Amino acid sequence: GLISIIVTDPANPYWLTEGQVAKATAESLGYTANVSAHKGDTNTESTMIDTAITNKSVAIILDPANADGSIGAVKKAIAANIPVFLVNAEINQDGLAKAQLVSNNAQGAAIGAQQWVEAIGDKGNYVELFGNPADNNAATRSNGYETVLTQYPDLKKVGKEVANWDRTQGYQKMQSLLQAHPDIVGVISGNDEMALGAIAALKEAGKLSQVKVGGFDGSPDAVAAVKSGEMQYTVLQPVAVFSAEAVKQADKFIKTGSTGAASEKQLFDCALITKDNVDKYTGPFTLSQ
Amino acid sequence: MTQPSANGISSPAAAVRGTTISPIKLLLKGRAFFALIAIIIVFSFLSPNYLTVSNLLIMSSHVAIYGILAIGMLVVILSGGIDLSVGSILALCGVVAGALMQGVKLTPLGVILFPPVWAVVVLTCALGALLGALNGILIAWFRVPAFVTTLGVMYMARGIALLQTNGLTYNNLAGRPELGNTGFDWLGFNRLFGVPISVLVLAALAVLTGLMLSRSSFGRWLYAAGGNENAADLSGVPVKRVKITVYTLSGILSAIAGLVLSSQLTSAGPTAGTTYELTAIAAVVIGGAALTGGRGTVRGTMLGAFVIGFLSDGLVIIGVSSYWQTVFTGAVIVLAVLMNTIQYGARGIRQ
Amino acid sequence: MTQPSANGISSPAAAVRGTTISPIKLLLKGRAFFALIAIIIVFSFLSPNYLTVSNLLIMSSHVAIYGILAIGMLVVILSGGIDLSVGSILALCGVVAGALMQGVKLTPLGVILFPPVWAVVVLTCALGALLGALNGILIAWFRVPAFVTTLGVMYMARGIALLQTNGLTYNNLAGRPELGNTGFDWLGFNRLFGVPISVLVLAALAVLTGLMLSRSSFGRWLYAAGGNENAADLSGVPVKRVKITVYTLSGILSAIAGLVLSSQLTSAGPTAGTTYELTAIAAVVIGGAALTGGRGTVRGTMLGAFVIGFLSDGLVIIGVSSYWQTVFTGAVIVLAVLMNTIQYGARGIRQ
Amino acid sequence: MSDAATSRPAGEVVLAARNIAKSYNGVRALKGVNFDIHRGQVTTLFGENGAGKSTLMKILSGVVQPTSGEIVLDGQPIVFSSSTDARNHGISIIHQELSLAPNLSVRDNIFMGREITGPTGVNYAEEERQVRRLLAELEEDIDPLTPVEELRLGQQQIVEIARALSVDSRILIMDEPTSALSATEVEVLFSVIRDLTAKGVSIVYISHHLEEALQITDHAVVLRDGNMTAYAPRADIDLEWIVRNMVGENYDLGSPPTGHDFGPVMLSIRELTVPDPAGGGYNVVDRMSLDVRAGEIVCIYGLMGAGRTELLETVAGKLSATSGEIVLEGKEISHLPIGERISRGLALVPEDRQRYGLVQTMSVGQNLSLASIMEFTRGIFTSVKLERALVQKSIRDVTVKTDGPDVPIGSLSGGNQQKVVIGKMLATDPKVILLDEPSRGIDIGAKAEVFRILAHHAAAGQAVVFTTSEVNECLSIAHRIIIMRRGRISAEFTSDITKEKIMAASGEAMAA
Ligand SMILES: Nc1ncnc2c1ncn2[C@@H]1O[C@H](COP(=O)(O)OP(=O)(O)OP(=O)(O)O)[C@@H](O)[C@H]1O
Ligand SMILES: Nc1ncnc2c1ncn2[C@@H]1O[C@H](COP(=O)(O)OP(=O)(O)OP(=O)(O)O)[C@@H](O)[C@H]1O
Ligand SMILES: [Mg+2]
Ligand SMILES: [Mg+2]
């Protein structure tokens, strides 16, 4: 049968890996697989679901575009008797998808923030780069950082800018932030792309040695930056793990009528990548133990 | 822009000539017709699921959103303008509809009002009309270029949609029977004689607009104003009023598209419709209209919308990788128009 | 589109008159000038960090990208066309430069060639020129409307960029001394007399283009072809050649913008430059050019680009929330042009 | 309208301008003009290019507002807020520059803004019926459903006239309605005008074809530099009177230049065949051959639609021939692009100045120098000094009335715009110059001036080919007169032939 895999945007290595791993897993289990991308638009996503229905898919692996906005699309697939397995992001309604496999963003943000404090020390001004506000993960991560960092009263957040997960925007917003706050000691970023943009801006301003940057995702570029010392750390999201797992649960569900997992929502813990363990990073988003 | 010169006025002319032109002939005159046929044939070979009634209907319901926007864009382009704000107005109207469905809190009275669905629809369309009229007034009275005005309104409407929802998405649009506001999902979910309502809405709007363009005085004013604004003005065509009307129409149609979309998705988010203006313009231009105004038909625009929609859905159905989808979409858009140019030859084509 | 009728041709006309016009007067004639002044004053009040030399330079280096694209867009718009593909060509050229910096594997010989930076720059610009020329040929020879052609090339270039990198970003653009290909980051990182190279590149390109438009025969051909293609043709202007040239120029400028951007970021990704075409067109139109062709100046376009850039950076510096940034951007774009319209009054304004 | 009209005595003033003045950005186009329109009569307005005729008419028809002065309608002062307002008061106008929407059909243009509507929207059938009737009245065979952009210039002018006639107006202003019409069509128009005046309609008529205007006029008014300088009823005027009052001296179009010998053949057209560019399936130029020698002035006369425009456009490179040769100074040029032909010394002054002659976004100076940019380009840059010199010389040569080279071309009067088009092509210093209806819209003084320039160029060894619809123009300047009919040469005369013979050869006598 055909498993339709719908990811956000393969132009980002994170989702590229998500799609590729899911496809490879599905093919190894004897399915044909089809990867498409909704680019964050709920309407496109709904179109993709319709297409999956037209193509008589046996299961849909979906990275939902919007916690609220994707519910309708999932319902539509359910109504067509196709089981849906959500990966990477959740929807705000239980009981629709057979499983929701996501990385533990709160846990990841917490370990990231702790590592960040370790690198920077417990006082000074810092700024935050925030992801796309329409995406729940942006707020989850930001809140996770906040919880840890507010424990250090001498760390002052002097600026927070939305850079929409994008490197160019991270670069330009960082340059402007540097103008407004030349005295910062650290940048904490909602993802790696924005962090890499910030690093380029800091390099240009000659401030990379004073200002420490932390990322999130564990993308190959960020790992390279950690290796070279430009980035302090990144938080690895186990995307390769849970997207493979999603396909396996789909397979199990098709064959047995149950996913075999204890609950619908399954959290996968994130791991920290620092200079110390960066050599264990063997493939995109894979940290061998 | 380049097109067969008789294109823009062929439909009123045909209407008058009084000869009954067969639907086939009418279709053949649309520049994107062959592209559409080619697309359907190719994909039918590549996937058995493509040429089925149910898939054609589903694809048409996808086309509906772009198609409705494209109709509004067509009238604007006919007047010699452009409307970049359609996608944003769609989003703002969608979230306002969403907010209304959640109930309006009247703080001083301490009550929450749940307007019935028809009232939500009317209010949303009124909002679209208002934003469109704002565009029109800035363009017609204050002579701000259309591109700048609608770009500005595009940003503003998007920003307001984001502010109003704080970036979040409304998802409970079905309403509740005890509040008397059910029925919102009718537009997006129901079918009449097996045809999705959204497709019927598109068809109705297309026919109405087609009639307006070919049969009403307003239609002729519109073609005249787009063809030679000065001459139209000297002949007593109320050019300013025409302009304000077309932008208002485009605003209303964007609101309708917003309603259809949120009904289809049963959710309304502030980032919906991003870059749809480009798709709508592309549909209009592929359909043979000139960006310089005065030339174009509803028929062509519909063909253009179907070319784009059937192509992108087809690529997804046969499972082409998303990168290749991008490449093919570009190539087909150019080819569709190129084929047409070659077909008609250089004759009658003026720059 | 609406503008003072003498605007587009003021600079060549002034050249003919031969009078020396003071720089102040020149600036005053730009329609976006007052908007820019107002923006600078307002933000200087709101933030002490805004009106500092270092911030002005940083902001200018952000403007550089849009500015370079806008210059290319201006020449295209002057010819009566439009180029939607600039953002995609920027991205494709960026990733090709990135790939070249990683070395070209010559599989049959089993060697990896590392071209020096100047060769990378030349090859990238050649690629930009090629894509631009493709646009130009489709438009001039095959008479495909500019909107459709460049929309198609926009999709195709983006798709090819994605295919080539498989979605990944090239990171290591600094080169290595032992391979003799260092220096790529010079464009984005270095400064000459304290001014970022990217700003100098923008200034140089603006001056060159300005001279070309006002002083060269090509410039005159361009204004004539955009103003009345038929009359230009009969007066011996090689209209087709002019068109192909302007799209080629726009392609080269997009490639340069791509090089500057990837040098600034020291990385090149396939999704760079998305929707930049809209910003570039907005800069040109805010700067007083007419989308119908034949009217517009480099000076105006530069003012337009600075208005957009200084506004959006200012909003970040004073810490306005991102939703309000969107709303303000829209409002200021409309106000900038509205102010100008009011300033010049209805006098001399023709549709 | 007619009940009220018939009760008044003939000759009563229905509309009057009182002390009307108009300035454009400080330039005074009208300096206080008094002008009366008499009921049921034709008042003709004469004046040089830029005298202010069109401006006055635009004021009387509500298109522009006067700076000072008032308009009196039936004895009551009135202000027209727009052209629609004036039309509602029974005043309509045929503009000098065509104001048609090219994308619309003839019918749609005629009823644009005044639709006949029924229960199902616009009543196209009724509109079409009326258009057919109007066109039949004007003896013009045009399908009401043809898009206007596919019509020849003359036909477009007919559409303008038909549009003005379709309004039942009591005052009809015609600003050079016949500049693109042939003698036959002018005759038809005149008979229509006579019918109208008999019904009590007042006509204001403007033309630079003085003899023609004399045939129809009841009153003559002369404007000069924004002032009214003379008035007389028909009985008191003749050609000489008009010319004297218009330009202050007497003008004669002269006679063909003599005293120089013809040189070698400069332009040779051999067996040229050009298919109808509109796709009509026949040849508009049909195996035509023609040799023009250095120093020679050749006039091509013919009825509208004879193919003169297509012939000249093919020679200039705008259209391409299916067979035949075009040889310039012994070299075959039919494969060359327009620009190359111009630099080899072949120039065409096109017939339709708005569509093919002028770049409206450019200044007067830039339009004048457009075809000779290379003349003042040094290296890659244009030379401001050389360009200015060239532009000044052109302005003097063709006597353009302008505030300077930097004003927008649209601010010139119609005739002066025509002179700019002629000046632009003369500035390329051509060896063979083709002019398609060069005298369109220019005043008698300027016409004499243009002909003097042509004669001068001929004497200097250039070859001149021009077309005209006025036989007198052929007779007064050409060494040789070619009559074209249906794409072929039907007769050839030297300058000592009579007007009647020319008209007979062109087929006009039969048509008229
Ligand atoms: N829109 C305008 N702006 C500036 N000046 C104008 C404008 N229209 C006309 N003029 C000037 O007003 C004067 C009178 O022009 P007008 O068109 O009335 O002349 P005319 O008598 O109709 O000439 P012609 O016989 O050439 O048509 C001219 O000097 C012309 O340059
Ligand atoms: N043999 C023919 N049969 C039918 N129609 C013809 C024929 N020859 C010419 N025509 C018509 O006349 C047109 C050619 O007009 P053209 O403009 O060349 O004539 P012209 O002599 O320049 O007249 P003018 O410039 O006064 O309008 C054709 O486009 C066509 O409509
Ligand atoms: Mg006049
Ligand atoms: Mg002719």
Side-chain angles (χ1 to χ4, degrees), chain C residues 6 40 69 131 138 234 241 265 279 301:
Chain C
I40 293 180
L69 293 180
L131 288 166
L138 281 168
L234 270 183
R241 187 142 53 92
L265 301 175
T279 313
T301 300

Side-chain angles (χ1 to χ4, degrees), chain D residues 24-25 27 29 47-56 58 96 175-176 208 401 410-416 441:
Chain D
Y24 289 105
N25 310 333
V27 180
E48 281 181 288
N49 294 133
K53 303 182 294 295
S54 299
T55 307
L56 181 60
K58 284 182 190 158
Q96 181 178 19
D175 194 351
E176 289 208 53
H208 288 293
K401 186 187 170 193
S411 73
L412 291 195
S413 77
N416 280 303

Side-chain angles (χ1 to χ4, degrees), chain D residues 152 276 282 284 303-310 351 437 486:
Chain D
R152 287 178 292 118
D276 181 16
Y282 55 86
V284 278
L303 287 189
M304 228 193 221
R308 294 166 297 169
T309 296
E310 279 81 357
E351 175 178 38
E437 309 267 4
R486 301 191 178 209

